[in-house]
Amino acid sequence: MSWLWAIIVGLVLGLIAKAIIPGKQQIPLWLTVVFGIIGAVLGNWLATLFGINDTKGVDWGRHILQVIAAVVVVGVGDAIYASLRGNRRRA
């Protein structure tokens, strides 16, 4: 069941990140989910590093760090994907 939650959270975070980043991203939906999962894991790691991963109530700090990490991962991943995809078309 934890894999299902990881996919759902990855999808939601990836779509939020794509909505925040200006312009159109070239990555497909499956890669959006993967980048969202990576962003969630990175955000959880940062929250643990800052000591805000487990608070009473809603972990707003952790969720904000997850969204920020997902935006960075989707942005960088989209740039890499677009450059690789563009290089293949020219060859």
Side-chain angles (χ1 to χ4, degrees), residues 9 11-12 16 25 32 44 47 52 58 61 69 71 73 84 89-90:
V9 168
L11 175 65
V12 170
I16 289 172
Q25 291 76 40
T32 302
N44 282 340
I52 57 171
V58 179
V71 167
V73 171
L84 290 175
R89 284 191 174 169
R90 281 187 244 148

Side-chain angles (χ1 to χ4, degrees), residues 1 3 12 14 16 24 26 31 37 44-45 59 61 63 66 69 72 74 79 81 91:
M1 196 67 163
W3 283 103
V12 170
I16 289 172
K24 181 170 176 18
Q26 303 299 319
L31 203 50
I37 292 170
N44 282 340
W45 177 76
D59 294 333
H63 297 315
Q66 287 176 332
V72 170
V74 167
Y81 180 80

